[in-house]
Amino acid sequence: MELSTRYNPADTEERWYAHWESRGYFRSVPDDRESFTIVIPPPNVTGVLHMGHMLNNTIQDILIRKARLDGKNACWVPGTDHASIATEAKVVRWLREEKKLRKADLSREQFMEYAYQWKEKYGGIILRQLRKLGASCDWERTAFTMDKGYYDDVIRVFVDLFNKDKLYRGLRMVNWDPEAKTVLSNEEVLYQEEQAQLFHIRYLPEDSASEGLVIATQRPETIFADVAVAVNPKDGRYGHLVGKKVRIPLIDKLIPVIADDYVDIEFGTGALKITPAHDQNDYEVGQRHQLEVIDILTDDGRINESCAFAPIVGLDRFEARKRMKPLLEESGNLVKTEDYVTNIGRSERTGVVVEPKLSLQWFVKMSSLGEPALKAVLEEEVKFYPPSFQNLYRNWMENLRDWCISRQLWWGQRIPAWYLKSEALSKETKVFVAATAAEALEIARKETGNPNLGADELRQDEDVLDTWASSWLWPISVFDGFNQPEGEVKYYYPTSVLVTGWDIIFFWVARMIMAGYEFKGQRPFESVYFTGMVRDKQRRKMSKSLGNSPDAIKLLDDFGADGVRYGLMSSAAAGGDILFDEKLCENGRNFCNKMWNALRLVKGWEVADSAENEAVAEKNALAVRWLREKFNQLLADMEADFRNFRLSEALLGLYGFIWDDFCSWYLEMIKPGYGEPIDRNTYESTLDLYSDLMIVLHPFMPFITEEIWHQLRDRKAGDDCIVQSYPNRKEADAELIKKVESAKEIISGIREIRIQQQIKPKEPVAFVAQKSPSVEALFATSGIKEMIAKLAVTHPVEAVEKEPENANSFISGTDQFYLVLNKEIDVEAECAKIKQELEYQRGFVRSIESKLSNEKFVNGAPAQVVENERKKLADGLARIQLLEESRSKLGCA
């Protein structure tokens, strides 16, 4: 079949993906092979493919495909996260816009039915999109964090932690999202510097209208929840007021002035309004002084009836804040306002300003869970790549706070706690925790001493669990590790590597490690590979608002999956930010076309088995040996790169080998003359080499490699690139490689002079080398002189004692070479060229001398590295000597 002039991904990608699936290559079941397991960081069920997903999943697919080629039982588990807050928000919007329904008008059961309808219709799009990228997941294992079995695992773990006294219900100051109307963990609050306004407000004493205290706040609407004004006991300015009372502006409510060491004398006015319901620090001060707690905000951020100032009741908090300024000015209590920059906490999910709120919530005690998880990383039982992320992890783990795991939502795993309907909810309310209502009833009957207690006398907690309280079980639950501890989980767990962004190191990575040791007594994975943030070429984070985030599907359509995968990986050093530019994908597409053209060239040759081609085979044998030896060298480098997760470096090394060594040099070395056939041995060796290259490149660019693999030879059914054995690395012949690299340098030197002298490409020129031991050793290598003559288009190559007349010279290594053109030399141009080269070589020598004069380098670097630098210095000095001699002979000024 005639090959098209350009590679077209649209003709191959869907076809090969369907073929791989039909052959069951992605499927994994336990057997006697070594397992290699990855669990996908489950994207939100609401998600669509973006640049971060493509990077992360390309890396996972590279590792899985490489493991498959290494003969391991590669298992990549896909799935999605139910994403409580994000999904519920989308369902509520869908109900409002398409069904004309409000959540408030539905029962919990009705809402959940609609939520599952939405999930079936819109959820999981991202998993279908991952197929287009080439992700070779075991799709039969697709998991969802609200699947029945998974749901049961989450409930089981809640009950287990409660029974082990590692879970409790407490009244705490929490982060409250007024839009989602739910609590947030500390990690779900993003702080950023924003412009704000500080209100300086005067509180007048009970017994005087002339003297007063001035406090500063950016939330004047909360003064009606104040229960005290605090000053430092050592602050002489206010000592006479401690124990007395001051009036809250606008309502004249009297509140005490208290002394507390928490107040910073130097900060602001030194007087602090105490509002326990709306500030974490104020709450702690209030607890010490047994102060009242007055909450004036509704769950959606409006001023409630507890506020004693009627004009702002019912207003949104920010609208109330605007109203307060003229009212305080009119009363004479506003001393001044000032603009300032402060850190504002916003919800990661909704973007709204978070409110501190005193709330009854469920918490996990983190101290005992955190200890083994910290130890595992510091002792590298769980290895981080790059290792620098250990510091970030340690800093967080050494300052753990208890984890609030309850959320005021309906979409999620409902908290398995029941209460007596006859009791109002409070911190003291009896709670019965069990996996089922029936079990909870049995517990309640025992604890209340009422054997006749009915199921209708209990009510279940309305809240659901934090999304991360389900996804921390992901590596265990996807293998049914709780129900069947002796089943598949024993084979696949611990998993091999987790690939994730560093931004969820606390949300997810740390908690999975905790869960692994708490529930399985083992690490959940051997290694964690942290990807960087995908940014644009101006180093800006990609976002819809900036308009700098490319449409992932359009990229795949425009450049093909292999082109996009190359574009992402060519700039994706582990942990470092990726500066993405579409030109990188274009480079990937060009690389595909380069390989395709190489295929067309090789398959277009006529192959001869005749005896007269044996001489040609002998000449080509050197090129074949050189490429095979250099390939062994490449395999060694890539082996080290894969071991250390330097995947970008591995790809770029392979790219350079295929583009330069194979396409630009090797194919030129063996290419037959016009109209001539190629010998059978060289042709078969070339197909073998090209096939091996496709196997090694396959994890990075799976579609084109599979296509070229099949175009190179007629393959039997099932003889596919995806399931080949990765080439075995042999010790490379470094001496042979060095000799051919020397010949390539000489060829490049000849080509440069040919261009300068405008010599026609096919016109042979006379070329000689100055005799030296190194030249004689090089030319003694069978095939080297013929290789130079063929690729540089010269007459037979010779080595001479005496420098020829009217010759253009160049230096390669430490030897001198000449093109004898039998025309007068442009001395001025030659001198200028020598001068430029001398400047370069002197600079090179200075840099090496500087390095070798550094005792720290000489004493600390490996002996071979130091020896290599000394060899470079000697070669540089020899080149300078040759250049000086040439300069002298030409009579250069």
Side-chain angles (χ1 to χ4, degrees), residues 150-198:
Y150 202 116
Y151 192 112
D152 291 346
D153 288 347
V154 176
I155 300 305
R156 176 180 188 154
V157 162
F158 185 98
V159 175
D160 177 65
L161 289 174
F162 180 81
N163 290 336
K164 290 191 291 193
D165 195 29
K166 294 183 179 181
L167 184 74
Y168 65 94
R169 188 165 167 266
L171 193 63
R172 288 285 191 88
M173 189 64 71
V174 296
N175 305 300
W176 186 262
D177 181 331
E179 183 174 313
K181 290 190 273 194
T182 185
V183 68
L184 303 173
S185 68
N186 292 328
E187 293 75 37
E188 290 171 306
V189 181
L190 304 179
Y191 289 90
Q192 57 191 38
E193 285 193 344
E194 295 185 29
Q195 195 72 36
Q197 198 168 49
L198 206 57

Coordinates of all heavy atoms in Angstrom, one line a residue, residues 150-198:
Y150 N -18.2 1.5 47.3 CA -17.3 2.6 47.8 C -18.0 3.3 48.9 O -17.4 3.7 50.0 CB -16.9 3.5 46.6 CG -15.7 4.3 46.9 CD1 -14.6 4.1 46.1 CD2 -15.6 5.2 47.9 CE1 -13.4 4.8 46.3 CE2 -14.4 5.9 48.1 CZ -13.3 5.7 47.3 OH -12.2 6.4 47.5
Y151 N -19.3 3.6 48.7 CA -20.1 4.3 49.7 C -20.0 3.6 51.0 O -19.8 4.2 52.1 CB -21.5 4.4 49.2 CG -22.4 5.4 49.9 CD1 -22.9 6.5 49.4 CD2 -22.9 5.1 51.2 CE1 -23.8 7.4 50.1 CE2 -23.7 5.9 51.9 CZ -24.2 7.1 51.3 OH -25.0 7.9 52.0
D152 N -20.2 2.3 51.0 CA -20.2 1.5 52.2 C -18.8 1.5 52.9 O -18.8 1.5 54.1 CB -20.6 0.0 51.8 CG -22.0 -0.1 51.4 OD1 -22.8 0.8 51.6 OD2 -22.3 -1.2 50.8
D153 N -17.8 1.6 52.1 CA -16.4 1.6 52.7 C -16.3 2.9 53.5 O -15.7 2.9 54.6 CB -15.3 1.6 51.6 CG -15.2 0.2 51.0 OD1 -15.7 -0.7 51.5 OD2 -14.5 0.2 49.9
V154 N -16.8 4.0 52.9 CA -16.7 5.3 53.6 C -17.4 5.3 54.9 O -16.9 5.8 56.0 CB -17.2 6.5 52.7 CG1 -17.2 7.8 53.4 CG2 -16.4 6.6 51.4
I155 N -18.6 4.7 54.9 CA -19.4 4.6 56.1 C -18.7 3.7 57.1 O -18.6 4.0 58.3 CB -20.8 4.1 55.8 CG1 -21.6 5.0 54.8 CG2 -21.6 3.9 57.1 CD1 -21.7 6.4 55.3
R156 N -18.2 2.6 56.7 CA -17.5 1.7 57.5 C -16.3 2.4 58.2 O -16.1 2.2 59.4 CB -17.0 0.5 56.7 CG -16.1 -0.5 57.4 CD -15.7 -1.6 56.4 NE -15.1 -2.7 57.0 CZ -15.1 -3.9 56.5 NH1 -15.7 -4.2 55.4 NH2 -14.5 -4.9 57.1
V157 N -15.5 3.2 57.5 CA -14.4 3.9 58.1 C -14.8 4.9 59.1 O -14.2 5.0 60.2 CB -13.5 4.5 57.0 CG1 -12.6 5.6 57.5 CG2 -12.8 3.4 56.2
F158 N -15.9 5.6 58.8 CA -16.4 6.6 59.8 C -16.7 5.9 61.1 O -16.3 6.3 62.2 CB -17.7 7.2 59.2 CG -18.2 8.3 60.1 CD1 -18.0 9.7 59.8 CD2 -19.1 8.1 61.2 CE1 -18.5 10.7 60.6 CE2 -19.6 9.1 61.9 CZ -19.3 10.4 61.6
V159 N -17.5 4.8 61.0 CA -17.8 4.0 62.2 C -16.6 3.5 63.0 O -16.5 3.6 64.2 CB -18.8 2.9 61.9 CG1 -19.1 2.0 63.1 CG2 -20.1 3.4 61.3
D160 N -15.6 3.0 62.2 CA -14.4 2.5 62.8 C -13.6 3.6 63.6 O -13.2 3.4 64.7 CB -13.5 1.9 61.7 CG -12.2 1.4 62.2 OD1 -12.2 0.4 63.0 OD2 -11.1 2.0 61.8
L161 N -13.5 4.7 63.0 CA -12.8 5.8 63.6 C -13.5 6.3 64.9 O -12.9 6.6 65.9 CB -12.6 7.0 62.6 CG -11.6 6.8 61.5 CD1 -11.6 8.0 60.5 CD2 -10.2 6.6 62.0
F162 N -14.9 6.3 64.8 CA -15.7 6.8 66.0 C -15.5 5.8 67.1 O -15.2 6.2 68.3 CB -17.1 6.8 65.6 CG -18.0 7.3 66.7 CD1 -18.2 8.6 67.1 CD2 -18.7 6.3 67.5 CE1 -19.0 9.0 68.1 CE2 -19.6 6.7 68.5 CZ -19.7 8.0 68.8
N163 N -15.5 4.5 66.8 CA -15.3 3.4 67.8 C -13.9 3.4 68.4 O -13.7 3.0 69.5 CB -15.7 2.1 67.3 CG -17.2 1.9 67.0 OD1 -18.0 2.6 67.6 ND2 -17.5 1.1 66.0
K164 N -12.9 3.9 67.6 CA -11.6 4.0 68.1 C -11.3 5.3 68.8 O -10.1 5.6 69.1 CB -10.6 3.7 67.0 CG -10.6 2.3 66.5 CD -9.5 1.9 65.6 CE -9.6 2.6 64.2 NZ -8.6 2.1 63.2
D165 N -12.3 6.1 69.0 CA -12.2 7.4 69.6 C -11.2 8.4 68.8 O -10.5 9.2 69.4 CB -11.7 7.3 71.1 CG -11.9 8.6 71.8 OD1 -12.8 9.4 71.5 OD2 -11.1 8.9 72.7
K166 N -11.3 8.2 67.5 CA -10.5 9.1 66.6 C -11.4 10.0 65.8 O -10.9 10.7 64.9 CB -9.6 8.2 65.7 CG -8.5 7.4 66.4 CD -7.7 6.6 65.5 CE -6.6 5.9 66.2 NZ -5.7 5.1 65.4
L167 N -12.6 10.0 66.2 CA -13.6 10.9 65.5 C -14.6 11.4 66.6 O -15.0 10.7 67.5 CB -14.4 10.0 64.5 CG -15.4 10.7 63.6 CD1 -14.7 11.5 62.5 CD2 -16.3 9.6 63.0
Y168 N -14.9 12.7 66.5 CA -15.7 13.3 67.5 C -16.6 14.4 66.9 O -16.3 14.9 65.8 CB -14.9 13.8 68.7 CG -14.0 15.0 68.3 CD1 -14.4 16.3 68.4 CD2 -12.7 14.8 67.8 CE1 -13.6 17.4 68.1 CE2 -11.9 15.8 67.5 CZ -12.3 17.1 67.6 OH -11.5 18.2 67.3
R169 N -17.6 14.8 67.6 CA -18.5 15.8 67.2 C -18.3 17.0 68.2 O -18.4 16.8 69.4 CB -20.0 15.3 67.3 CG -21.0 16.3 66.7 CD -22.3 15.5 66.5 NE -23.4 16.3 66.2 CZ -24.2 16.8 67.2 NH1 -24.0 16.4 68.4 NH2 -25.3 17.6 66.9
G170 N -18.0 18.2 67.6 CA -17.7 19.3 68.5 C -18.1 20.6 67.9 O -18.3 20.8 66.7
L171 N -18.2 21.6 68.9 CA -18.6 23.0 68.5 C -17.3 23.7 68.3 O -16.5 23.8 69.2 CB -19.4 23.6 69.6 CG -20.0 24.9 69.3 CD1 -21.1 24.8 68.2 CD2 -20.7 25.5 70.6
R172 N -17.0 24.1 67.0 CA -15.8 24.7 66.7 C -16.0 25.9 65.8 O -17.0 25.9 65.0 CB -14.9 23.7 66.0 CG -14.3 22.6 66.8 CD -13.1 23.1 67.7 NE -12.5 22.0 68.3 CZ -11.4 21.3 67.8 NH1 -11.0 21.7 66.6 NH2 -10.8 20.3 68.4
M173 N -15.0 26.8 65.7 CA -15.0 27.8 64.7 C -14.6 27.2 63.4 O -13.5 26.6 63.4 CB -14.1 28.9 65.2 CG -14.2 30.2 64.3 SD -15.8 31.0 64.4 CE -15.8 31.7 66.0
V174 N -15.4 27.3 62.4 CA -15.1 26.7 61.1 C -15.1 27.8 60.0 O -15.5 28.9 60.2 CB -16.1 25.6 60.8 CG1 -16.0 24.5 61.8 CG2 -17.5 26.2 60.7
N175 N -14.6 27.3 58.8 CA -14.6 28.2 57.6 C -16.0 27.9 57.0 O -16.3 26.8 56.6 CB -13.5 27.8 56.7 CG -12.1 27.9 57.3 OD1 -11.7 29.0 57.8 ND2 -11.4 26.8 57.4
W176 N -16.8 29.0 56.8 CA -18.1 28.8 56.2 C -18.2 29.4 54.9 O -17.9 30.6 54.7 CB -19.2 29.4 57.2 CG -20.6 29.1 56.8 CD1 -21.4 29.9 56.1 CD2 -21.3 27.9 57.0 NE1 -22.6 29.3 55.8 CE2 -22.6 28.0 56.4 CE3 -21.0 26.7 57.6 CZ2 -23.5 27.0 56.4 CZ3 -21.9 25.7 57.7 CH2 -23.2 25.8 57.1
D177 N -18.7 28.6 53.9 CA -19.0 29.1 52.6 C -20.5 29.5 52.5 O -21.3 28.7 52.4 CB -18.7 28.1 51.5 CG -18.9 28.5 50.1 OD1 -19.7 29.4 49.8 OD2 -18.2 28.0 49.2
P178 N -20.8 30.8 52.5 CA -22.2 31.3 52.5 C -22.9 31.0 51.2 O -24.1 31.0 51.1 CB -22.1 32.8 52.7 CG -20.7 33.0 53.2 CD -19.9 32.0 52.6
E179 N -22.2 30.8 50.1 CA -22.9 30.4 48.8 C -23.2 28.9 48.8 O -24.3 28.6 48.5 CB -22.0 30.8 47.6 CG -22.7 30.6 46.3 CD -22.0 31.1 45.1 OE1 -21.5 32.2 45.1 OE2 -21.8 30.3 44.1
A180 N -22.2 28.1 49.1 CA -22.5 26.7 49.1 C -23.2 26.2 50.3 O -23.7 25.1 50.4 CB -21.2 25.9 48.9
K181 N -23.2 27.1 51.3 CA -23.8 26.9 52.6 C -23.3 25.6 53.3 O -24.0 24.7 53.7 CB -25.3 26.9 52.5 CG -25.9 28.2 52.2 CD -27.4 28.2 52.3 CE -28.1 27.8 51.0 NZ -29.5 28.1 50.9
T182 N -22.0 25.6 53.3 CA -21.3 24.4 54.0 C -20.0 24.8 54.6 O -19.4 25.9 54.2 CB -21.1 23.3 52.9 OG1 -20.5 22.1 53.6 CG2 -20.1 23.7 51.9
V183 N -19.5 24.0 55.5 CA -18.2 24.2 56.1 C -17.1 23.8 55.1 O -17.3 23.0 54.2 CB -18.1 23.4 57.4 CG1 -18.0 21.9 57.1 CG2 -16.9 23.8 58.2
L184 N -15.9 24.4 55.2 CA -14.8 24.1 54.4 C -13.6 23.8 55.3 O -13.5 24.3 56.4 CB -14.4 25.3 53.5 CG -15.4 25.9 52.6 CD1 -14.9 27.2 51.9 CD2 -15.8 24.9 51.5
S185 N -12.7 22.9 54.8 CA -11.5 22.6 55.5 C -10.6 23.8 55.3 O -10.7 24.6 54.4 CB -10.9 21.3 55.0 OG -10.4 21.5 53.7
N186 N -9.5 23.9 56.2 CA -8.6 24.9 56.0 C -7.9 24.9 54.6 O -7.6 26.0 54.1 CB -7.5 24.8 57.1 CG -8.0 25.1 58.5 OD1 -8.9 25.9 58.7 ND2 -7.4 24.4 59.5
E187 N -7.7 23.7 54.1 CA -7.1 23.6 52.8 C -8.0 24.0 51.6 O -7.5 24.2 50.5 CB -6.6 22.2 52.6 CG -5.5 21.7 53.5 CD -6.0 21.4 54.9 OE1 -7.1 20.9 55.0 OE2 -5.3 21.7 55.9
E188 N -9.3 24.2 51.9 CA -10.2 24.6 50.8 C -10.4 26.1 50.8 O -11.2 26.6 50.1 CB -11.5 23.9 51.0 CG -11.5 22.4 50.7 CD -12.7 21.6 51.1 OE1 -13.1 21.8 52.3 OE2 -13.3 20.9 50.3
V189 N -9.6 26.8 51.7 CA -9.7 28.3 51.7 C -8.4 28.8 51.1 O -7.3 28.5 51.5 CB -9.9 28.8 53.2 CG1 -9.9 30.3 53.2 CG2 -11.1 28.2 53.8
L190 N -8.6 29.6 50.1 CA -7.4 30.2 49.4 C -7.3 31.7 49.8 O -8.3 32.5 49.7 CB -7.6 30.1 47.9 CG -7.9 28.7 47.3 CD1 -8.1 28.8 45.8 CD2 -6.7 27.8 47.7
Y191 N -6.1 32.0 50.3 CA -5.9 33.4 50.7 C -5.2 34.2 49.6 O -4.2 33.7 49.0 CB -5.1 33.4 52.0 CG -5.9 32.9 53.2 CD1 -5.9 31.6 53.5 CD2 -6.6 33.8 54.0 CE1 -6.7 31.1 54.6 CE2 -7.4 33.4 55.0 CZ -7.4 32.0 55.4 OH -8.2 31.6 56.4
Q192 N -5.6 35.4 49.5 CA -4.9 36.3 48.5 C -5.0 37.7 49.0 O -6.0 38.1 49.7 CB -5.5 36.2 47.1 CG -7.0 36.5 47.1 CD -7.6 36.1 45.7 OE1 -7.3 35.0 45.2 NE2 -8.6 36.9 45.3
E193 N -4.0 38.5 48.6 CA -4.0 39.9 49.0 C -5.1 40.7 48.2 O -5.2 40.6 47.0 CB -2.7 40.6 48.8 CG -1.6 40.1 49.8 CD -0.4 41.0 49.8 OE1 -0.2 41.7 48.8 OE2 0.4 41.0 50.7
E194 N -5.9 41.4 49.0 CA -7.0 42.2 48.4 C -7.1 43.6 49.0 O -6.7 43.8 50.2 CB -8.3 41.5 48.5 CG -8.4 40.2 47.7 CD -9.8 39.6 47.7 OE1 -10.8 40.3 47.9 OE2 -9.9 38.3 47.7
Q195 N -7.7 44.5 48.3 CA -7.9 45.9 48.9 C -9.1 45.8 49.8 O -10.1 45.2 49.5 CB -8.2 46.9 47.7 CG -8.1 48.3 48.1 CD -6.6 48.8 48.4 OE1 -5.7 48.3 47.8 NE2 -6.5 49.6 49.4
A196 N -9.0 46.4 51.0 CA -10.1 46.4 52.0 C -10.1 47.8 52.6 O -9.2 48.6 52.4 CB -9.9 45.3 53.0
Q197 N -11.1 48.0 53.5 CA -11.3 49.3 54.1 C -11.4 49.0 55.6 O -12.1 48.1 56.1 CB -12.5 50.0 53.7 CG -12.5 51.5 54.0 CD -13.6 52.2 53.2 OE1 -14.8 51.8 53.2 NE2 -13.3 53.4 52.6
L198 N -10.6 49.8 56.4 CA -10.6 49.7 57.8 C -11.4 50.8 58.5 O -11.1 52.0 58.2 CB -9.1 49.7 58.3 CG -8.7 49.0 59.6 CD1 -9.1 47.6 59.6 CD2 -7.3 49.2 59.9

